[in-house]
Amino acid sequence: MNYENIAVSTEGKTTVITISRPQALNALNAATISELGDVLDRLDSDASCRVVIITGSGDKSFVAGADIKEFSDFGTAEAEELARNGQRTLFTRIEHMTKPVIAAINGFALGGGLELALACHIRYASQNARLGLPEVTLGLIPGYGGTQRLPKLIGKGLANEIIFSAKMISATRAAEIGLVNEVFSLEELLPKAKELAASIAANSPMAIAEAINAVNLSDTDRGYEAEIKSFGVLFEKEDKKEGVTAFLEKRKPNF
């Protein structure tokens, strides 16, 4: 399928989605959110895809934010629907994918861009990346999960500082506080993300899907029970039989 705002490529069991709106520093508009949601729906049911990487085109911006022109004159009802639809179509969709999603942050990740990265399961960043949630400078708050996912990741105090001050932080600082996993040069970023994706793709997709669900529930009362049930369910799956047999036979499993 052809898309106007994103490019999709496959390398082995990894699919790379590149947001390509260079004239707007890859800002998220409604069409881009819709296209991302559509391709992720397809990939989640595609057994040949094991891992997804999301990045931005060029060397300046991952996603510089939401496209403010689209909602500048919205009222309350329209704004609520914008946030709700965005969560449903894209941000919550990513969080609950059965395939791991890696954000390769190659520059500015601001507002909706950082919120997109927060929804991903793993975040790598380039040294030139700058991250922030500037919504309060517009008289708004983060509307795509920033107020919920950021404190879970780095704690309330640091999240409050980033949200209330609207300041950008460096990739190095983001790594120090656990906002991103690792920092690489711009040239290394995508190859390193692909390297991680390949190591993930070699493991049991059934187990990874269950792990994603259990980790997502880790800050709720249902987390431990989800872990127990997933652990038990996997014992009757082919992946578990192959994994244990391969271990006992001293060979690599073939998932």
Side-chain angles (χ1 to χ4, degrees), residues 95-96 121 152 209-230:
E95 190 172 41
H96 295 288
H121 303 110
K152 291 174 185 175
E210 293 292 342
I212 289 172
N213 181 61
V215 171
N216 282 344
L217 292 171
S218 63
D219 56 354
T220 74
D221 293 337
R222 295 179 292 153
Y224 287 108
E225 188 61 27
E227 181 183 86
I228 291 166
K229 287 189 176 298
S230 291

Side-chain angles (χ1 to χ4, degrees), residues 49-70:
C49 172
R50 296 284 185 87
V51 186
V52 177
I53 297 171
I54 298 178
T55 193
S57 63
D59 57 6
K60 293 182 179 179
S61 182
F62 171 66
V63 171
D67 197 329
I68 297 171
K69 296 188 298 294
E70 284 196 335

